[in-house]
Amino acid sequence: MSLRLRLGLASAALVLVAVGVMSAILIAQSAAAFDREFEAELLVARRAVSERLERDAKVLRDRLVALGRDERLGEALRELTGDGGEARHDDALGPAKLGTAVLDAVLASSGLDTLWVFEVSGDGHGAAVPVPIGVAHTRGDAALPTGVARLARPTRAPYEVAQEEIRRSGRLVSVPVLEAAAEIAGGRIVLVGGRVMGRDVAKDLKAGATLPIDVALLDATGKIVTASFEGAAAVEPGGGPGGSVRTADVTLAGPGVPGVAAPLTIRVFASVAPLVSRRAGLIEATLIAGGVATALAFVFAMIFAQRLSRPLRALSAAARRIAAGERDVHLERRRDEVGDVNQAFEAMTTALAASESRLRQAERIAAWQDLARELAHEIKNPLTPIQMAVETLQRTWERRPERFGEIFKESTDTVLEEVERLKRIVAEFSSFARLPASERRRASLNDVVRRAAALFQETCDAPIRVELDPGADAAWIDPDRLAQLAQNLLKNAIEATRSAGRPPAITLRTSAGPDFLALEVEDNGVGIRSEDQSRVFTPYFSKSEGGTGLGLAVVSRVATEHGGDVEVQSEVGVGTRFVVRIARRGGEVSGERPTRPSR
């Protein structure tokens, strides 16, 4: 994967992570904002219920005060209490009661739903005790609700919520009633009246909310008082109208006598649909923004990476040119870190060229020193017999002149033989030193191998096996120099098999790859010792009798001129394989190796 693509993908991934984190934060903040709004709605509902109940209680007290001025009620109270101001009592029947017909008529004209009348009398200890003397909305023997009893006392609350039975359509129905009290007749009579709490209370609370909510009011027993929706099941915690909702209860302290609990619970149902919609909108906006941001980040990163990698590609190309042997390489002048690298690279290239020049000079000197040493050794070998032959002639002439003729013939033959040997050494050295430059042209390596095999077939004691790869037919080579290479390798193989003392087996094999050609020469000769395998291509190194040690040196030189190399694989007593690899189109051979069959 290229640097540009990696940088682009890394930038896109970074943007995606940033967008994802931002989205998570926004979604969490949205949920927290919804929670705050929901809590605020609970506070609003608490205040709204309290204000609504107090406002409705004041209206009830005003109506009760106005009812105290009703002549029908006043006449009925005077008849019941008499001039003494207290109701007549019957020990068997209890206190006297107001007439139901009168109270029903008064209730019908008052706008109230319930009405209780109490007479306040002493208990003999100085405390005021309210006694019910009339009720208009229910049967006469109905139980006195606790909230109504508290309102009749002097220490009363502004209002109470009581569950009462009232007549509707000819039958008694239990309903929640908001009750209030007022004193008339100088405080001797207490009127307690109320209005049934309908759905309008809950609907008013719902209408004043900023969130889409529903409201239910529950009494101390958990029973529904009123709700802004239909159905009692909806008031259960966790349920609610509209399906997925959040619920919370707000309990208002009872307004009764201190220490006496009379709670009224507000259950608020808030739909989570706004939160879900808001979250979905955030996710959708995040996906769109993330996609756009990721695409832009990838494009900008690719553009930036293109600008960043351009000098790197130029540096890489320069390095390849240097690896190919070129030394006059110049890079772009820049005023940044890349420019510093370019300058350092050019300085390194200059130093490398100078170092290589010195190294080549040293190598040439060392090579000529080695050649001179080897040549001196090779020349010294025939000089010794020549010297000995001349000394023998001198001694024979001085000591035994009669045998001089006999010794002269033998000694001169020796001298002539060694002189011929010297001439051969000088000729081969001269030929090696004057090897012409390679001249490549389009030719077939297979043809070169065929001609070499045919040339040496007559001198070999067994047929030479030839295995040719059709891919080696067309190549850019110097066929004359490769013919010399193949002949030298065949000559070594034939000599090695003759020394092995077994039937010879020699194979010539060609193979080809995308960038290389290979020539293999394999024999079953005596083999080469492992310590000698690294020296076989050194000039004048030879283990064969009469060899000059230049044949394999020529092989190595020709392979090098063709941009290749030579590899030797050998095992003593088994045989040897030489593998020559050359470039197909000039240049150098890549690291790819030809496939070689096992022995």
Side-chain angles (χ1 to χ4, degrees):
M1 186 181 296
S2 66
L3 174 62
R4 287 179 296 170
L5 185 57
R6 288 200 299 269
L7 185 58
L9 293 177
S11 301
L14 184 62
V15 171
L16 279 177
V17 171
V19 171
V21 172
M22 186 180 301
S23 301
I25 294 174
L26 290 176
I27 291 174
Q29 289 180 345
S30 175
F34 183 84
D35 290 339
R36 290 193 296 270
E37 292 179 16
F38 185 70
E39 293 298 328
E41 290 299 333
L42 295 181
L43 295 177
V44 170
R46 180 196 295 269
R47 289 194 299 269
V49 169
S50 297
E51 293 173 359
R52 173 62 184 268
L53 295 180
E54 289 176 0
R55 184 170 62 252
D56 290 351
K58 183 177 182 304
V59 172
L60 288 176
R61 288 193 296 272
D62 292 342
R63 290 185 178 182
L64 290 173
V65 171
L67 187 61
R69 294 192 291 269
D70 190 288
E71 289 296 333
R72 292 169 295 177
L73 180 60
E75 181 63 27
L77 287 173
R78 284 191 293 272
E79 291 179 0
L80 179 64
T81 59
D83 294 336
E86 292 185 359
R88 297 184 297 274
H89 285 71
D90 187 319
D91 293 336
L93 300 176
K97 304 294 183 179
L98 289 171
T100 301
V102 175
L103 291 181
D104 286 344
V106 171
L107 179 63
S109 62
S110 65
L112 301 176
D113 294 319
T114 65
L115 178 61
W116 293 82
V117 181
F118 291 87
E119 179 188 14
V120 180
S121 59
D123 61 354
H125 301 284
V129 178
V131 178
I133 60 174
V135 58
H137 59 283
T138 187
R139 63 179 186 270
D141 58 350
L144 180 64
T146 304
V148 174
R150 286 199 295 265
L151 286 172
R153 297 172 184 171
T155 55
R156 65 179 63 91
Y159 60 88
E160 293 278 358
V161 177
Q163 199 76 15
E164 292 203 53
E165 290 183 341
I166 63 175
R167 287 190 297 269
R168 282 190 174 177
S169 301
R171 60 189 183 91
L172 293 176
V173 180
S174 179
V175 293
V177 180
L178 175 65
E179 309 272 7
E183 296 179 353
I184 62 173
R188 293 183 297 107
I189 302 297
V190 177
L191 301 179
V192 178
R195 291 278 296 171
V196 174
M197 298 184 67
R199 293 182 61 189
D200 56 332
V201 177
K203 287 183 177 181
D204 288 347
L205 295 177
K206 176 179 179 179
T210 58
L211 285 178
I213 65 171
D214 277 284
V215 178
L217 304 183
L218 285 72
D219 63 13
T221 65
K223 293 181 180 180
I224 183 173
V225 173
T226 184
S228 62
F229 51 87
E230 298 288 346
V235 301
E236 296 298 328
S244 298
V245 296
R246 291 185 58 179
T247 62
D249 290 348
V250 178
T251 301
L252 299 176
V257 178
V260 179
L264 180 67
T265 299
I266 310 169
R267 181 159 294 162
V268 179
F269 303 87
S271 173
V272 298
L275 176 62
V276 173
S277 177
R278 190 182 307 173
R279 185 176 300 172
L282 283 175
I283 293 175
E284 182 180 0
T286 299
L287 291 177
I288 295 174
V292 173
T294 301
L296 290 177
F298 182 79
V299 171
F300 289 142
M302 292 296 289
I303 295 174
F304 176 74
Q306 174 73 16
R307 295 175 59 85
L308 180 64
S309 63
R310 183 166 51 244
L312 297 180
R313 292 197 302 273
L315 187 63
S316 176
R320 286 194 295 270
R321 291 166 58 191
I322 290 175
E326 187 178 351
R327 295 296 178 263
D328 188 17
V329 177
H330 299 283
L331 296 171
E332 179 185 4
R333 298 291 181 180
R334 299 168 60 102
R335 296 180 178 273
D336 55 11
E337 292 81 359
V338 176
D340 295 339
V341 173
N342 290 347
Q343 292 182 6
F345 186 85
E346 289 185 359
M348 180 194 67
T349 303
T350 303
L352 177 63
S355 177
E356 286 180 339
S357 178
R358 292 191 298 269
L359 180 61
R360 284 194 298 270
Q361 182 66 23
E363 287 178 346
R364 282 195 295 268
I365 294 174
W368 280 111
Q369 288 176 343
D370 291 341
L371 284 175
R373 186 166 49 251
E374 294 292 341
L375 183 59
H377 177 72
E378 292 297 325
I379 293 175
K380 181 180 179 182
N381 288 337
L383 288 178
T384 299
I386 291 174
Q387 180 182 0
M388 292 178 63
V390 173
E391 289 175 351
T392 300
L393 285 174
Q394 288 178 343
R395 285 194 301 270
T396 302
W397 177 259
E398 293 174 356
R399 299 176 184 177
R400 304 177 65 179
E402 69 279 4
R403 295 192 59 193
F404 184 78
E406 176 185 354
I407 298 301
F408 180 78
K409 178 69 170 70
E410 181 180 345
S411 297
T412 55
D413 289 343
T414 300
V415 171
L416 291 174
E417 182 180 343
E418 295 302 327
V419 168
E420 287 296 326
R421 182 179 174 188
L422 282 173
K423 289 170 64 178
R424 187 172 66 253
I425 291 173
V426 172
E428 290 187 0
F429 176 77
S430 177
S431 175
F432 176 74
R434 293 198 309 268
L435 282 176
S438 176
E439 296 182 1
R440 295 194 184 189
R441 62 181 182 271
R442 190 171 183 82
S444 172
L445 179 61
N446 289 339
D447 291 342
V448 172
V449 173
R450 289 191 192 96
R451 287 194 296 269
L455 179 63
F456 283 88
Q457 184 61 69
E458 296 300 327
T459 62
C460 186
D461 298 333
I464 299 176
R465 184 179 179 184
V466 179
E467 300 176 359
L468 303 178
D469 186 342
D473 275 334
W476 195 255
I477 59 175
D478 185 337
D480 297 332
R481 301 295 296 277
L482 287 179
Q484 185 179 6
L485 178 148
Q487 292 170 14
N488 287 353
L489 290 177
L490 271 175
K491 186 186 299 183
N492 275 9
I494 292 173
E495 292 177 356
T497 56
R498 286 176 178 172
S499 302
R502 55 176 175 267
I506 300 176
T507 301
L508 271 70
R509 184 182 298 112
T510 61
S511 58
D515 302 318
F516 71 88
L517 299 175
L519 168 62
E520 301 179 35
V521 179
E522 184 177 352
D523 64 65
N524 63 340
V526 293
I528 303 173
R529 295 183 304 176
S530 58
E531 58 268 23
D532 293 334
Q533 291 180 16
S534 61
R535 303 172 58 197
V536 294
F537 302 108
T538 304
Y540 294 106
F541 177 81
S542 176
K543 290 294 185 179
S544 63
E545 185 178 353
T548 62
L550 293 176
L552 292 179
V554 172
V555 169
S556 176
R557 180 170 174 177
V558 172
T560 302
E561 290 175 350
H562 281 74
D565 56 18
V566 186
E567 180 182 357
V568 59
Q569 302 172 358
S570 184
E571 184 177 350
V572 175
V574 177
T576 302
R577 174 191 290 147
F578 284 94
V579 182
V580 180
R581 289 169 10 108
I582 61 176
R584 178 184 285 275
R585 299 179 182 85
E588 293 187 356
V589 179
S590 65
E592 184 179 1
R593 293 280 177 178
T595 302
R596 304 186 184 96
S598 60
R599 291 185 178 274

